[in-house]
Each structure stands twice: as C-alpha cells, then as structure tokens.
Amino acid sequence: MEILLQLVVSGIALGMIYAVIAFGYQLTFATSGTLNFGQGEALMLGALVGLSLVGTIHGGPYLGYWLMIPIVVAFGALQGVFVEWIAVRPAIRIKSEFGWIMSTIALAIIFKNVAENIWGKDVLPFPSPLSSEPFTVLGANVQPMQVAVIVGALAIMFAVEIFNRKSIYGKAVVATANDRDAAGLMGINTGMVITFSYALSSATAAFAGALIAPLTLTSATMGASLGLKAFAVAIIGGLTSGMGAIVGGIILGIAETATGFYLSTGYKEVPGLVLLLLVLAVKPSGLFGKAAIKKV
Amino acid sequence: MNFKMKALVAGVVLGFSMSGMAAEPIKIGVSGPFTGGSAPMGVSMRDGVRLAVSEINAKGGVLGRKIELVERDDEAKNERGVQVAQELINKERVVATVGYINTGVALASQRFYQQAKIPVMNNVATGSIVTKQFANQPENYIFRNSANDTIQSAMIVEEAIGRRGFKKPAILADSTNYGQLGREDLEKVLDKKGVKPVVVEKYNIGDVDMTAQLLRAKQAGADVVLTYGIGPELAQIANGMQKLGWKVPIVGSWTLAMANFIDNAGKNGDGTRMPQTFIQNPDTPKRKAFIDAYVKAYNPPGGRMPSAVSAAQGYDSVYLLAAAIQQAGSTEGPKIAAALEDLKTPVEGVVTTYNKPYTHTDHEAINFENTKFGEVKDGRVVQAK
C-alpha cells in the first residue's frame, strides 16, 4: 500500500508537469485551431532564464526565487507573442491548414540551438527555494517542491480559467474560441485574442519550467521529451478541455511510474502511448473533449 | 631579371619548399564528445591532449616535426563517430587518433582505423571489448590507456561486497552500450563471488524520474547501489534516493567523478565511491605541474578539473603515442603499432610511469595497480580512505 501511494504521489507530481504544458497547447488550439509545437522549448527557455536570474552561472544570483517567477512569466509571454507573430500569423493569414506545424517546429529548433549557445549543452542544477528534505504522508515520501509543483500548476490553470469566465477580455477569448468569424463580426479583434492566447500559453509553460527545474535538472534539451509527452496528454484529455489536461496528465504520470515498478522499467513509456492510441481509436476528441464538427 | 637573380629566386623558393616538406606537421586525430552529457569527459580529454601536444611541440616535436591536432566532435553518437573516423582517415590523413569517450562510438568507429592500419589510442572509453574487437586479427591497431570495465567492475564489487561487506547489491545501469556492457561485467564478477543482485534496473538517458527503479531496489532490500551510467542521470539516482528518504551507499564506475554528477547531486552525492586512475591531487611533482598547467590554461570554475581522469588519460595517451612514433622513426601505422607493442624506454605520464605498457597480445596500459578508489567529498573527488 505504501508503495502504491508512493508511486501515485510521484506520478501525480510528474503528471502535473505534463498537465501545465498540455494546458498551454489547449489555450492556443481553442482560439486559433493551431498549436505551438515549441511548447516544450517555451518551458526550457523559462527554466534557463530563471536559472540565469537565481543561479550562479551568469554572475548571479540577481534575485530570489519568488521574485524571479513574474519575470520569467513576462519573458514567456513575450516569447509566445514572438512565436505567434513569426510562425502562426502568416499561416492563419493565408489560411494555410498546416504551415504553422512546420514553422512552430522550426522555431522550436532555433530556440534550442540558441539556448545551447547561451547556456551550453551541459545539464545544470537549479537552486531549490524549498528544503529538499522529504516529509512523510501515510508512508509515502513527498518533497516540498513536489507539492509546490502540484499547487503551482493547479493555481495557474485555475487563474486562467477564472480570467476566461469572469473578465470581459476572457469573454472575448471564449467568443473567439467558439466561433472566430462570428466573434470578428461582433467587433472582437480576434487577431489580438490569438496573439494573447499564445502569450498566455508560453507564459504558463515558462512558469512550469521555473517550477519544475529544481526537481528535474535544467538543460537546453529538457523541453523536447516533456513537450512530446504533454502533447500526448493533450490528446488523451482532449484538446478543448482544461479538466482533460489535469486528468490526462495524472493518468500518464501514474501510468509511467506504476508500469516502471510493477512491470519493468524498460517499458515505462509504453502504457502512456498505448493509452494515446486507444483514445484516438475509441474517442478521438479525447476523454473530456467535445467532438469537433468539421464544416466542409 | 637576369639569370643569376632567377637562379637565386628559384633556389630560395626550392629551399623554402623543401624545408617546408621536412617540417610538415604530424597530424593526429582527436575524436570525442565536446557537447552533450558526455562533454565534461570529452572536453577534459581534449584539453589534456592539447596540453601534452603543446609541451611536446615546445620541445621541438617528434622526429623534428611538430604535432598538429585535428579535433572533431563525435557528439557521443555512433553514426557521427563513423563519419569523423572516415574524415580523419581519408581526408585529413592522420597518422593516429586519440580519443573515444563512449564505448559505443569506439566500437562503431575503430574498424575503419583497423582497416586502414592506423593506430587508435582509446584514452577514456572503458568497455571491456574495446581493445578486443579485432583481437583475432594478426595485427590489432586498437590500444587503450584507461581502466577498462573488467578492472572497474572487479574493483566495484570488491569494494562493495569484499571490503565493506554489503550482501544485497542493486544494479542500476543506463540503456546505452556503456551501461549495458558494464552491467554484464558487474553481474559476472558478482556471480563469481556467489552474490546475486537483488534487482537489475535500467533507465534511459534524459530520464527525470527514477522513482520506479529506486522503489524496486528499495523494496528488494538492497543495501548498496552499484551504478553504470553517466553524470546527469547518476545525479537523478542520488537525488531520487533522497526523495524517497532511502539512504544506502552508491558505488559505481568512474563516471561518478564527473562534475555534472557532483554538482547536480550536491550533498546527496557525498560518500559515493568510484575507481579512478587519476585524482586532482598534486602528490608528485609531475602531477602538480600537470594540474597547475591545466588550471592555468583552461581556468575551470573553482579550480576543479571537470573530469580529471579524462584529462590525465588524454595527456598520457599523447606521450605514449609520441614515444612510439619517436622509436619507430616513422609515421606509418604498422611501425607505430609495432613500436607501441615494444616500447623500449619507460614513458613518464601523470597516471603512472608506463614501463612496457603493451605487448602484442595485451593492449591495455592500465591495470589494478594504477587504479585506486576516489570518493566524492564536499563537491570534489578525494582519495578514498
């Protein structure tokens, strides 16, 4: 029982990382029907920019951990605007169905290369703001930072949801998400809303990067595999549901740790991907997704 | 221009080109990962090689010729290593190559040198079969001056089971050639001691969560963790153990001395032990001179060499090779290899003094006598007591 609990706790902490990134995918998909395949790189850049501020690598530390977070979030937002401007807007303007796929992947590779040149290719430790001593809950060991990841991830997702439901700007986002053309006719600047959703999506990823970096390690290559797993989570949970990201992330995280323990660590990644295939076969819109009606 | 003048010009030009021919540098290839997770080893090795070459060139070079290095980044990738090997052999026409950090890259690449009859000095890669890949051929061009995994696995097991008396080892090895060949070696030695590992676990390069592997080891009642992997993931193991509140000693291959293990594991890495051929400890004048020169030339953070073993072995590999070229009086591969197999004068290196290091059948320069145990202590590797 203790073992199972331990696996679940570690799985949830891992899954919440996937969930925040998956949430970022959903934000842009909802408003523009496009995804940023560089979402993992947005996370990586957030973590590395954070490291430059709080670590000892570029003559720092310049700031405390908690002061660094808003700067990283602002950086992430700018980075998202940049991605939308360079890679997505041209594709939307010419009504290209798939141009944004290649251009966001291209930008992701460019970001990774730039990061490798600024921060090097080595893996760097990230100073932890909280004690790394674990405490025990019902026999399972939990690190304070793992709790911070879970709480932080949930907090940012709820903040975005509340913003979308309560504020007038959020309503513009929701309107654009429901029907971009109608929203445009109603006087909503949908182009602005899409840019904003990209800013928000990269900001959440950058925040996630700064949050998880003390647990994982930081490097220019950290984004690639996390971004891919999170994409699987977004598909499993459904690209239109915030709840889906959380549940999908937790499912994948627990599936990975549990398979590693009960079956074999060599097959750790398999069940998540099998689940992905199953969802695609049985309920293509995802566990929580709304079926999309494609107008021809 | 009159005839005399022409003759003079022609004579000068001819003279220059002839002296140019005589002093044409000896090209030596350097292949190693200078980027990625293995980079601390590759870069340290390269820096050690450069130090040795600049010293040798300052003293007039070998056979009156300067040594010129042709460095290539193999990125720890097998396919890239193969490209590098072909380029160094066919385009750069090197007379020998030093390097190889990654066992897999060495195994994939060195066949081209074997075919071209050009010697390779493996100065870091430790897989037991690296020098035996062509042992059945009449001439073997693969030499090594690092502590191979047969030595290391025996030492690891002796330290954990023999000296410290642990009875239930868990093996954690990464899924690369290096990790899996090392795991086989460990299992063989354990088997000879009549000990069976309680669990044998695998993980991938880049894994950020080791909970499953470590829980299995903990549940099986392991009292020591034996590792075969490289820095970043080894750090995840040490950190993961702390996450689980499980503390048993880690004993593993020499890579536990890498700066990216020590830094990323922090205090969780303290007490970790690994076999080392070289520790950054100026206990002889030769070693002091080497360490001072290295720190002065490359100015590593905190004055700590990122991978002291790689640097020292890289440095020694050049001196061994230079001695062989000098003795052979030639830069032809077969003659260099023959000279290496029968070195007349001892070569003083920083790891040890090599007295007849190689024979026709034995291409390993390092043995049990010149390998000791290092221990991580306060962010540095010190000699284990």
Side-chain angles (χ1 to χ4, degrees):
Chain A
M1 193 58 213
E2 273 172 27
I3 292 294
L4 184 66
L5 200 66
Q6 180 72 61
L7 289 168
V8 168
V9 167
S10 293
I12 290 178
L14 189 66
M16 287 315 282
I17 300 172
Y18 300 152
V20 196
I21 314 175
F23 186 65
Y25 283 120
Q26 294 172 343
L27 284 176
T28 64
F29 187 79
T31 53
S32 63
T34 60
L35 301 167
N36 175 11
F37 281 100
Q39 202 68 9
E41 272 63 32
L43 170 132
M44 173 271 289
L45 284 176
L48 285 172
V49 168
L51 181 61
S52 284
L53 293 172
V54 300
T56 51
I57 48 164
H58 290 145
Y62 298 105
L63 288 175
Y65 182 87
W66 307 111
L67 279 174
M68 168 272 289
I69 297 261
I71 297 181
V72 165
V73 170
F75 170 84
L78 284 177
Q79 191 253 350
V81 171
F82 180 75
V83 170
E84 199 270 342
W85 184 56
I86 295 281
V88 181
R89 191 177 295 181
I92 291 182
R93 192 179 330 116
I94 60 166
K95 303 226 180 321
S96 158
E97 283 269 358
F98 304 112
W100 52 271
I101 298 180
M102 277 320 293
S103 50
T104 54
I105 292 176
L107 265 186
I109 296 172
I110 293 171
F111 283 136
K112 192 174 116 219
N113 279 312
V114 169
E116 279 175 349
N117 281 302
I118 298 177
W119 287 278
K121 296 193 177 183
D122 211 353
V123 180
L124 303 161
F126 199 104
S128 173
L130 302 172
S131 155
S132 61
E133 280 308 322
F135 58 88
T136 322
V137 184
L138 303 170
N141 276 298
V142 187
Q143 274 184 317
M145 204 57 213
Q146 285 178 308
V147 178
V149 166
I150 297 172
V151 172
L154 286 175
I156 189 132
M157 285 191 273
F158 279 121
V160 172
E161 287 287 322
I162 286 172
F163 171 83
N164 278 350
R165 282 178 199 180
K166 299 286 173 202
S167 77
I168 183 83
Y169 303 102
K171 291 198 169 110
V173 172
V174 175
T176 308
N178 279 331
D179 189 333
R180 197 192 326 157
D181 293 334
L185 290 173
M186 295 308 289
I188 292 170
N189 184 347
T190 53
M192 188 74 107
V193 169
I194 291 170
T195 308
F196 175 73
S197 70
Y198 264 83
L200 207 55
S201 129
S202 284
T204 52
F207 173 69
L211 204 57
I212 66 167
L215 280 181
T216 64
L217 299 166
T218 357
S219 75
T221 49
M222 72 187 286
S225 76
L226 286 174
L228 193 70
K229 296 242 178 82
F231 187 64
V233 164
I235 300 291
I236 292 172
L239 269 167
T240 50
S241 161
M243 194 60 191
I246 298 177
V247 176
I250 289 175
I251 291 177
L252 190 71
I254 295 177
E256 278 190 7
T257 50
T259 318
F261 182 79
Y262 291 111
L263 209 60
S264 154
T265 41
Y267 285 115
K268 198 161 64 102
E269 327 246 291
V270 173
L273 299 174
V274 169
L275 187 66
L276 172 70
L277 294 173
L278 271 179
V279 167
L280 282 176
V282 177
K283 196 168 184 296
S285 56
L287 294 179
F288 291 79
K290 289 185 290 240
I293 301 157
K294 182 104 179 169
K295 289 171 288 243
V296 183
Chain B
M1 219 188 280
N2 60 27
F3 175 73
K4 259 190 188 169
M5 196 62 185
K6 275 182 189 164
L8 190 68
V9 170
V12 169
V13 170
L14 197 67
F16 265 119
S17 61
M18 276 183 54
S19 68
M21 295 256 289
E24 196 184 319
I26 297 175
K27 277 190 176 179
I28 293 180
V30 183
S31 180
F34 307 142
T35 50
S38 305
M41 299 185 278
V43 171
S44 302
M45 179 277 286
R46 181 191 65 191
D47 291 347
V49 166
R50 282 183 184 170
L51 265 188
V53 168
S54 65
E55 286 175 18
I56 291 172
N57 283 346
K59 287 182 199 142
V62 184
L63 304 176
R65 293 160 66 182
K66 296 253 189 285
I67 295 177
E68 184 190 321
L69 294 175
V70 188
E71 298 166 359
R72 292 290 180 270
D73 181 3
D74 62 33
E75 299 168 22
K77 291 180 187 143
N78 297 3
E79 64 280 9
R80 181 81 190 111
V82 167
Q83 279 176 1
V84 167
Q86 289 171 322
E87 188 196 339
L88 290 178
I89 295 167
N90 300 323
K91 183 159 163 271
E92 300 289 345
R93 310 241 166 236
V94 296
V95 303
T97 284
V98 298
Y100 292 123
I101 307 299
N102 309 89
T103 297
V105 183
L107 292 176
S109 314
Q110 56 195 15
R111 65 179 78 251
F112 298 96
Y113 291 96
Q114 176 74 14
Q115 277 161 11
K117 297 186 188 300
I118 294 173
V120 178
M121 284 292 280
N122 275 286
N123 48 24
V124 179
T126 57
S128 293
I129 62 170
V130 166
T131 53
K132 299 191 181 73
Q133 203 179 7
F134 310 107
N136 55 351
Q137 297 187 12
E139 295 296 331
N140 179 1
Y141 288 88
I142 315 302
F143 296 83
R144 166 151 61 191
N145 66 315
S146 62
N148 66 37
D149 288 338
T150 310
I151 297 174
Q152 295 205 22
S153 55
M155 287 182 70
I156 293 166
V157 170
E158 180 54 36
E159 166 77 13
I161 312 294
R163 240 165 56 80
R164 287 161 78 181
F166 295 115
K167 294 196 172 53
K168 293 172 148 190
I171 299 180
L172 265 68
D174 71 29
S175 54
T176 64
N177 276 351
Y178 173 67
Q180 291 306 306
L181 290 169
R183 170 190 59 77
E184 269 174 39
D185 283 330
L186 275 180
E187 286 185 293
K188 259 182 244 163
V189 189
L190 282 173
D191 195 46
K192 264 185 226 152
K193 285 226 174 243
V195 177
K196 202 171 152 35
V198 288
V199 284
V200 178
E201 293 300 329
K202 197 171 158 175
Y203 56 85
N204 293 323
I205 298 291
D207 273 4
V208 294
D209 186 88
M210 299 277 180
T211 309
Q213 288 92 333
L214 291 169
L215 265 184
R216 278 170 81 114
K218 185 184 174 194
Q219 278 315 100
D223 52 8
V224 61
V225 169
L226 310 182
T227 61
Y228 248 95
I230 57 168
E233 292 79 30
L234 293 170
Q236 292 288 10
I237 291 177
N239 294 342
M241 284 166 72
Q242 195 229 10
K243 227 183 269 183
L244 292 179
W246 181 49
K247 190 74 196 149
V248 299
I250 302 176
V251 182
S253 62
W254 73 281
T255 40
L256 286 166
M258 283 166 73
N260 56 12
F261 167 75
I262 298 173
D263 290 343
N264 286 313
K267 67 177 173 35
N268 299 335
D270 267 359
T272 301
R273 288 192 178 186
M274 74 310 276
Q276 297 280 276
T277 56
F278 182 83
I279 288 168
Q280 188 181 350
N281 175 21
D283 52 357
T284 68
K286 176 97 184 161
R287 286 179 185 154
K288 183 170 181 351
F290 168 69
I291 293 166
D292 289 349
Y294 188 99
V295 171
K296 185 161 168 280
Y298 307 109
N299 198 16
R304 185 188 64 185
M305 299 162 80
S307 175
V309 171
S310 311
Q313 287 170 180
Y315 181 85
D316 283 6
S317 67
V318 174
Y319 271 99
L320 284 166
L321 196 58
I325 295 173
Q326 192 73 44
Q327 183 182 315
S330 159
T331 54
E332 285 166 40
K335 290 189 181 157
I336 299 174
L340 273 173
E341 286 177 351
D342 181 30
L343 277 179
K344 308 270 190 227
T345 45
V347 177
E348 198 194 338
V350 288
V351 169
T352 181
T353 296
Y354 302 90
N355 200 352
K356 294 210 177 297
Y358 303 108
T359 65
H360 187 63
T361 50
D362 179 11
H363 282 196
E364 304 277 359
I366 303 282
N367 46 34
F368 285 100
E369 283 81 69
N370 35 41
T371 314
K372 50 202 166 222
F373 256 93
E375 181 176 306
V376 177
K377 203 174 174 192
D378 302 329
R380 291 184 102 87
V381 178
V382 297
Q383 175 111 36
K385 298 264 160 28

